[in-house]
């Protein structure tokens, strides 16, 4: 079932969560354990992240430097298919511009269609660690709006090889990312919103936000989106804090603010266990408020940790 249909056919806020594929060399046991701890609370869909190749440089015994390319978390398509087959829950694999060209993207979408997966989240993704600005692959997409266009065109039966005959349309529900506190590369929120509108105008069905810790930022974001003609559902993304160092790490990595009340409580914590308690309570407070304001869905970023997510959904749903 498509995410947009799940949302439109529900008369209340639903919930979903996001998982990372296992590290290369690991099995899927932890993934399944996380799902099984939450399945009783009726998650309506599950997002599966995608990770591009990374480049590492290692010094050898003779002093020379060897370049190594590795994907630390392969298996997005296989894990997504496994989850949908095993649990009957719709999955939303992420599709990236970064690290993939248009042909590779088309082949992944063909595979997803064969597997009965109807949903994708279209993202630009991050650049390589040594790049100051994002650089697309050769014959790749520079912007998520271009990626959305490719997926929409496949829905019309338009493949890259124009001489193909009897083309089967690949019909996907497309989600895109939004940033209530703006993307860190955007010069201001207004410009960032114009980029978001390009993605929606290109054919995105809904928006899921980056994590935020002040609900007013989400409410203001939705209002500004509506003012410029973005009318698709906007799903809030919630990240429960579970470690004390996230007080400083999250604002640095994601360019977000933590409310003063939350910062004060986290600063008092003596260890990660106390920080996890504070983070869980804050996420429950956020979630209840968002449900009261009729958010279409709550999307929870788990990063493979399910205990606190279970506490949140139990308290809210």
């Amino acid at each position: 079932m498509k995410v947009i249909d799940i949302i439109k056919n529900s008369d209340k806020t639903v919930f979903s969560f996001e998982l990372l594929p296992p590290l290369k060399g690991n099995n899927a046991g932890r993934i399944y354990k996380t799902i099984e701890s939450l399945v009783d609370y009726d998650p309506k869909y599950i997002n599966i992240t995608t990770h591009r190749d990374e480049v590492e440089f290692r010094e050898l015994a003779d002093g020379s430097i060897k370049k190594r390319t590795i994907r630390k978390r392969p298996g997005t398509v296989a894990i997504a298919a496994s989850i949908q087959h095993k649990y009957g829950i719709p999955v939303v694999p992420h599709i990236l511009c970064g690290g993939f060209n248009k042909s590779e993207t088309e082949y992944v979408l063909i595979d997803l269609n064969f597997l009965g997966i109807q949903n994708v989240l279209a993202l630009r993704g991050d650049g390589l660690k040594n790049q100051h600005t994002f650089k697309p692959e050769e014959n790749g997409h520079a912007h998520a709006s271009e990626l959305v266009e490719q997926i929409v065109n496949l829905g019309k039966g338009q493949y890259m090889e124009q001489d193909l005959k009897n083309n089967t349309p690949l019909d996907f529900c497309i989600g895109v990312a939004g940033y209530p506190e703006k993307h860190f590369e955007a010069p201001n929120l207004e410009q960032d919103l114009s980029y978001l509108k390009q993605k929606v105008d290109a054919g995105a069905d809904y928006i899921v936000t980056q994590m935020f810790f002040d609900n007013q930022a989400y409410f203001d974001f939705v209002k500004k989106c509506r003012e410029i003609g973005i009318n698709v559902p906007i799903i809030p993304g919630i990240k429960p804090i579970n470690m004390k160092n996230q007080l400083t790490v999250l604002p640095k990595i994601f360019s977000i603010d933590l409310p003063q009340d939350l910062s004060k409580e986290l600063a008092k914590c003596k260890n990660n266990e106390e920080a996890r308690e504070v983070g869980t309570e804050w996420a429950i407070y956020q979630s209840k408020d968002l449900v009261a304001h009729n958010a279409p869905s709550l999307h929870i970023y788990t990063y493979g940790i399910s205990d606190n997510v279970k506490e949140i959904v139990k308290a809210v749903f």
Side-chain angles (χ1 to χ4, degrees):
M1 192 172 185
K2 292 183 176 181
V3 169
I4 190 63
D5 294 329
I6 292 170
I7 292 170
K8 287 182 176 179
N9 293 333
S10 179
D11 58 0
K12 61 181 181 179
T13 303
V14 301
F15 108 89
S16 64
F17 58 93
E18 185 166 297
L19 294 170
L20 283 71
L23 287 166
K24 188 175 183 180
N26 293 358
N27 63 34
R30 185 175 178 181
I31 291 272
Y32 297 144
K33 184 178 179 181
T34 297
I35 295 169
E36 286 160 10
S37 71
L38 297 172
V39 73
D40 287 343
Y41 299 96
D42 194 25
K44 295 301 185 183
Y45 55 95
I46 300 172
N47 278 32
I48 314 295
T49 62
T50 294
H51 299 258
R52 65 178 297 168
D53 290 344
E54 297 180 27
V55 177
E56 296 179 346
F57 294 90
R58 294 190 176 183
E59 186 175 355
L60 304 180
D62 62 2
S64 62
I65 302 295
K66 182 179 180 180
K67 180 181 177 181
R68 180 180 180 221
T69 302
I70 184 172
R71 186 172 302 171
K72 294 181 178 179
R73 293 185 183 272
T76 295
V77 172
I79 284 289
S82 173
I83 290 169
Q84 187 161 291
H85 175 74
K86 186 177 177 71
Y87 299 100
I89 301 172
V91 290
V92 186
H94 295 186
I95 305 294
L96 304 183
C97 298
F100 301 89
N101 61 40
K102 296 174 188 176
S103 292
E104 290 168 330
T105 296
E106 184 173 272
Y107 286 130
V108 167
L109 292 166
I110 291 169
D111 285 346
L112 292 175
N113 178 69
F114 285 150
L115 291 164
I117 294 171
Q118 297 180 294
N119 302 285
V120 293
L121 188 70
L123 306 167
R124 191 200 70 177
D126 297 326
L128 293 172
K129 292 179 181 177
N130 63 338
Q131 292 177 345
H132 296 295
T133 57
F134 179 84
K135 294 181 180 178
E137 297 298 301
E138 185 176 352
N139 196 32
H141 297 299
H143 306 286
S145 57
E146 299 169 0
L147 177 56
V148 172
E149 286 176 7
Q150 181 180 6
I151 301 169
V152 168
N153 286 337
L154 278 170
K156 301 172 184 175
Q158 297 175 14
Y159 289 72
M160 292 187 64
E161 297 174 50
Q162 296 182 1
D163 57 348
L164 287 179
K165 297 179 180 179
N166 303 317
N167 296 352
T168 300
L170 307 185
D171 185 22
F172 291 97
C173 172
I174 307 168
V176 293
Y179 299 84
E181 297 172 77
K182 91 172 183 62
H183 190 277
F184 73 95
E185 292 178 11
N188 52 66
L189 182 57
E190 287 67 29
Q191 186 63 47
D192 201 31
L193 286 169
S194 74
Y195 296 146
L196 179 58
K197 192 170 189 303
Q198 288 176 22
K199 293 188 281 189
V200 173
D201 290 346
D205 295 290
Y206 68 94
I207 297 162
V208 59
T209 76
Q210 184 188 49
M211 69 181 75
F212 58 89
F213 294 91
D214 182 352
N215 283 2
Q216 193 59 50
Y218 168 77
F219 299 139
D220 292 344
F221 177 71
V222 172
K223 183 174 182 289
K224 288 180 179 179
C225 284
R226 302 304 184 223
E227 288 172 350
I228 64 170
I230 296 175
N231 295 311
V232 299
I234 301 175
I235 297 168
I238 300 296
K239 167 71 176 82
I241 287 175
N242 51 62
M243 290 188 288
K244 182 175 170 60
N245 71 351
Q246 288 176 336
L247 173 64
T248 54
V249 169
L250 291 178
K252 180 179 180 181
I253 294 177
F254 296 99
S255 298
I256 55 176
D257 289 335
L258 269 62
Q260 183 67 4
D261 289 347
L262 175 59
S263 299
K264 282 183 178 179
E265 291 304 312
L266 286 172
K268 295 177 188 175
C269 295
K270 299 181 181 66
N271 51 48
N272 286 339
E273 186 177 345
E274 291 182 4
R276 179 191 168 284
E277 258 183 65
V278 169
T280 302
E281 288 174 7
W282 190 269
I284 290 172
Y285 152 73
Q286 274 192 279
S287 299
K288 286 183 174 180
D289 185 45
L290 290 164
V291 169
H293 284 83
N294 300 313
S297 175
L298 293 183
H299 186 65
I300 304 177
Y301 298 107
T302 71
Y303 296 102
I305 300 170
S306 61
D307 289 350
N308 53 356
V309 177
K310 185 175 180 179
E311 290 182 47
I312 295 162
V313 296
K314 184 177 180 180
V316 177
F317 295 95

